[in-house]
Amino acid sequence: MIRALLEELRLSEEEMGPLRRVLPGPEPELTLPADGDGAGDVARDGNGAGAGRRLLRVCDTLLDGNELRYLTECIESNWISSAGRFVSAFEERFAAAVGCAHGIACASGTAALHLALAALGIGPDDEVIVPTFTMIATANAVTYTGARVVLVDALSESWNLDVAQVEAKITPRTRAIVAVHTYGHPADMAPLREIAGRHGLALLEDAAEAHGAAYRGAAVGSLGDAAVFSFYGNKIVTTGEGGMVTTNDERLARTARRLRDHAFSADRHFWHGYLGFNYRMSNLQAAVGLAQAERLPQLVAARRRNAESYRRRLAALPGLTLPGERPEVVNVFWMYALLVEDEFGCSRDDLRRRLAGRGIETRTFFIPVHLQPIYFRRHRGEPYPVAEELCRKGLYLPSGPTLREDEIDLVAREVARSGRAAAGA
Ligand SMILES: Cc1ncc(COP(=O)(O)O)c(C=O)c1O
């Protein structure tokens, strides 16, 4: 079995040397410019802070539907733990929206990943293929099961896993493939399904960032044996913290449901025939989740509208690679993510610093799994050039559902100004 690290794992100077070219610099300080200094500031609204306008965060939340009403019902009825009507109502509503018969609400997306892998029977001595370009939770959930993480590189077009590399990584120990729908763009599921079917592997979707996305007309979440979603505060549907497993496989759903709740036995309380977890979602979280799920189309439309507004303003700027949308998918642009190419005029980190000084928050792309201290030594020497370039060049801009057109305009103008200023300097 695995043992948690009780001391931070630090890479040596010799190990860190080549990584420094790729790793992002320190987080820049986010400050609003002094009033009226020529940036074309937009007027402050109710969320405002500082002199002329609000800080433009990478993501904010929109909680002005039924969220408060449902939460109040939880408090007034005293149903605040995982019993209560909202958990099953949220599960049913969300699962139906992604075309699945079953939804198993969890404490987080990471818990949902672990739960799904456990319910699929993944354990020690197994191998699971995951993209190296993902949030570390995808790989960690595999590690929690005791299975070994096997990595594949990303595609430079969609930033999703390179399906052509998957087959070469399959061994007699391989049990599953996890496809991540990165930043809201669905992975190429048809060839993955074909490979998984031919080799008898489970196919799990990590749809943590892709609520409402679709592939060949079908919603993500219904495209593999099971899928997982995250409802962390910056996700398209949020419960603050939370996650869900969706599946059409009744047996899998039953096992996941049972493992989620300490694997309590149905006919004798405090009798446990499996090693279970407590990964339950509370009624409070599910109350927020149900209200959010009721307006999933609106929340997705806001992300897509933001993306179109950014695209119109940034497409002509030299040195930026904007996010794509393959013809067979609906990309939900969870975050408006782009690459700052070497021709842009300034580096990705310089651009971030300039924007931060104008009150515009950005976030760098994931640091690939194979460069993370806890995975580095095991994967040392494995080449993942695309993921490393994404890590070096990528950032995402403010992308939340409350972003206004004039705010997107401001961000785009500041991006353009940074490029021009650096080029003309
Ligand atoms: C691709 C991906 N997988 C898994 C997770 C984990 O979700 P959570 O933070 O809810 O545990 C995230 C979270 O941000 C993610 O982006």
Side-chain angles (χ1 to χ4, degrees):
M1 282 302 278
I2 46 167
R3 192 194 307 272
L5 291 173
L6 300 181
E7 267 176 52
E8 187 177 355
L9 206 161
R10 284 176 184 276
L11 299 182
S12 68
E13 269 312 301
E14 184 243 330
E15 288 169 318
M16 283 297 292
L19 271 55
R20 292 197 200 283
R21 190 187 69 83
V22 172
L23 296 179
E27 283 301 306
E29 194 188 341
L30 189 61
T31 51
L32 274 173
D35 208 3
D37 71 346
D41 290 351
V42 292
R44 171 161 55 171
D45 67 9
N47 300 319
R53 61 173 169 91
R54 63 173 180 163
L55 288 171
L56 297 178
R57 298 277 178 192
V58 155
C59 188
D60 45 29
T61 44
L62 190 60
L63 298 168
D64 58 357
N66 281 322
E67 288 83 354
L68 186 58
R69 192 159 74 79
Y70 292 166
L71 272 173
T72 305
E73 183 184 322
C74 295
I75 303 286
E76 287 180 349
S77 64
N78 266 342
W79 287 103
I80 60 168
S81 72
S82 57
R85 80 171 184 99
F86 288 114
V87 177
S88 53
F90 176 41
E91 288 177 335
E92 279 161 30
R93 177 107 194 192
F94 190 81
V98 303
C100 272
H102 309 282
I104 300 100
C106 297
S108 68
T110 310
L113 275 166
H114 186 200
L115 188 64
L117 290 165
L120 285 164
I122 309 294
D125 299 330
D126 294 338
E127 292 177 1
V128 177
I129 297 175
V130 307
T132 191
F133 187 65
T134 184
M135 200 251 174
I136 198 163
T138 318
N140 283 352
V142 173
T143 303
Y144 300 158
T145 68
R148 195 189 138 124
V149 169
V150 173
L151 298 172
V152 291
D153 203 359
L155 288 165
S156 48
E157 190 192 6
S158 68
W159 310 337
N160 285 318
L161 86 172
D162 184 349
V163 177
Q165 295 187 12
V166 168
E167 205 142 14
K169 298 277 179 132
I170 295 174
T171 75
R173 291 175 185 266
T174 310
R175 293 284 312 282
I177 303 167
V178 184
V180 182
H181 304 309
T182 312
Y183 301 141
H185 189 296
D188 196 4
M189 294 301 288
L192 281 174
R193 262 202 310 251
E194 191 276 320
I195 293 169
R198 193 152 34 81
H199 292 269
L201 309 177
L203 181 57
L204 178 62
E205 294 174 80
D206 182 341
E209 306 167 354
H211 319 61
Y215 174 84
R216 297 191 180 176
V220 308
S222 64
L223 305 171
D225 295 288
V228 304
F229 291 85
S230 164
F231 303 124
Y232 178 65
N234 63 12
K235 296 304 189 296
I236 294 176
V237 166
T238 183
T239 59
E241 297 281 354
M244 195 177 294
V245 179
T246 57
T247 182
N248 281 312
D249 180 333
E250 182 169 359
R251 223 172 117 228
L252 190 66
R254 216 177 324 116
T255 309
R257 217 171 270 290
R258 187 142 177 219
L259 292 180
R260 172 183 65 174
D261 188 16
H262 298 294
F264 272 106
S265 143
D267 42 30
R268 184 179 289 134
H269 206 71
F270 294 125
W271 185 253
H272 308 273
Y274 303 93
L275 179 64
F277 319 105
N278 177 358
Y279 283 164
R280 297 179 303 238
M281 174 180 277
S282 77
N283 204 41
L284 293 163
Q285 291 166 305
V288 175
L290 178 64
Q292 291 267 295
E294 286 170 354
R295 50 154 102 182
L296 176 63
Q298 182 195 338
L299 294 168
V300 168
R303 289 317 224 259
R304 286 185 58 83
R305 206 168 41 241
N306 288 345
E308 180 50 25
S309 298
Y310 275 129
R311 192 200 59 74
R312 264 191 281 116
R313 290 170 170 85
L314 298 176
L317 284 189
L320 294 181
T321 298
L322 304 184
E325 183 174 33
R326 287 194 48 81
E328 72 276 15
V329 309
V330 175
N331 182 353
V332 285
F333 301 96
W334 166 56
M335 292 291 173
Y336 195 75
L338 49 84
L339 304 181
V340 182
E341 305 291 350
D342 297 336
E343 314 79 85
F344 180 65
C346 68
S347 70
R348 185 269 317 269
D349 286 5
D350 280 341
L351 175 59
R352 293 192 74 211
R353 264 191 296 278
R354 286 164 195 262
L355 293 177
R358 310 291 303 156
I360 299 165
E361 189 182 37
T362 59
R363 190 87 69 236
T364 50
F365 274 19
F366 302 127
I367 298 173
V369 172
H370 70 281
L371 300 184
Q372 299 289 345
I374 54 173
Y375 292 101
F376 180 81
R377 287 176 187 150
R378 184 171 272 182
H379 297 278
R380 194 168 189 180
E382 297 174 13
Y384 301 109
V386 178
E388 292 185 10
E389 281 302 276
L390 296 177
C391 174
R392 185 172 75 83
K393 298 179 190 169
L395 63 78
Y396 44 84
L397 298 172
S399 302
T402 69
L403 210 57
R404 298 189 314 250
E405 191 76 18
D406 56 339
E407 292 173 328
I408 291 177
D409 198 55
L410 172 76
V411 175
R413 275 187 287 123
E414 292 294 345
V415 170
R417 211 162 79 132
S418 301
R420 269 199 314 273

